[in-house]
Amino acid sequence: MNENIRLFTAISLPERVRDAVRNGVSDRMAALPFKRRTHPDDWHITLHFIGDCAPADVPRLEAAIRESAAASAPFTLSLSGIGTFGNAAAPAVLWLGVGGEQMRLERLHRALGEQLERTGLFRPDSRPYRPHLTLARKYAGTGPLAADDAVWPEPSDAGALSWEVRDIVLYRSHLGRSPMYEPLAVVPLGGVRP
């Protein structure tokens, strides 16, 4: 019997960007009382959360991803600024913001959502798309998170946090494991040579 697997699509970070983020947040994160920190190997920019699917559905989803990816050329993103979701004093999520060619990212997000919806295996989220990189979840401090704690020192080389997006990744989540995300397919954007 095949059990369902939990899937999502995302943009991965190159190793040099992960290293720059790790170097930029390691000391500060150690001092912040969050219950769960995201493993650096799991850092990504989510495009769409698909949810539970049968393993046999993966080829249909991958075909939809290929269709969207073929119509999108590579573009540049960057990471900058720290923020939170939820109550500002006790946030549910601590994140880094996404900059760069945001309109291109939003077009890719929209086109991919439309292709995934055509498979009948995905229903788009009704909330606005807010791309980010999740650093930690569930603030557990005894007092409110101070505004100074939510400031991330920018690296001296801003280019360290900028990269060319060249593909879309279909990930599988393994709950309770760290790192918890396994890439099932890496689909190049149009114009990218394998």
Side-chain angles (χ1 to χ4, degrees), residues 6-10 12 44 169-173 181-184:
R6 180 167 290 198
L7 304 173
F8 68 95
T9 59
S12 63
H44 65 273
V169 182
L170 175 64
Y171 282 103
R172 176 182 180 180
S173 295
Y181 304 136
E182 171 192 3
L184 297 182

Side-chain angles (χ1 to χ4, degrees), residues 5-186:
I5 55 178
R6 180 167 290 198
L7 304 173
F8 68 95
T9 59
I11 293 168
S12 63
L13 276 63
E15 187 66 34
R16 68 169 182 78
V17 175
R18 278 201 308 267
D19 288 345
V21 172
R22 188 182 295 114
N23 293 337
V25 300
S26 61
D27 291 342
R28 185 166 299 278
M29 287 298 296
L32 293 177
F34 279 84
K35 288 184 181 177
R36 292 192 331 239
R37 298 178 195 316
T38 306
H39 191 287
D41 289 345
D42 286 339
W43 286 338
H44 65 273
I45 311 299
T46 300
L47 288 165
H48 290 284
F49 176 73
I50 298 168
D52 291 338
C53 291
D57 293 332
V58 170
R60 282 176 39 208
L61 293 167
E62 191 174 336
I65 296 167
R66 287 191 189 289
E67 181 97 13
S68 293
S72 178
F75 58 97
T76 302
L77 289 181
S78 59
L79 298 172
S80 161
I82 207 160
T84 60
F85 291 139
N87 179 334
V93 176
L94 181 71
W95 51 259
L96 282 177
V98 176
E101 294 182 273
Q102 293 181 344
M103 294 294 285
R104 303 270 307 277
L105 174 60
E106 289 173 17
R107 280 197 302 268
L108 177 62
H109 171 263
R110 187 173 42 256
L112 177 59
E114 290 167 1
Q115 287 296 331
L116 289 170
E117 189 172 18
R118 287 184 186 115
T119 67
L121 301 168
F122 169 76
R123 178 175 291 152
D125 195 337
S126 60
R127 296 175 295 181
Y129 182 49
R130 296 178 65 184
H132 62 279
L133 183 152
T134 300
L135 294 171
R137 296 179 183 277
K138 297 191 178 183
Y139 181 74
T142 54
L145 179 69
D148 286 350
D149 288 336
V151 173
W152 182 44
E154 298 292 335
S156 57
D157 177 13
L161 295 175
S162 179
W163 76 102
E164 184 179 57
V165 175
R166 300 175 58 81
D167 49 50
I168 300 171
V169 182
L170 175 64
Y171 282 103
R172 176 182 180 180
S173 295
H174 295 276
L175 300 179
R177 192 170 95 175
S178 182
M180 69 187 294
Y181 304 136
E182 171 192 3
L184 297 182
V186 178

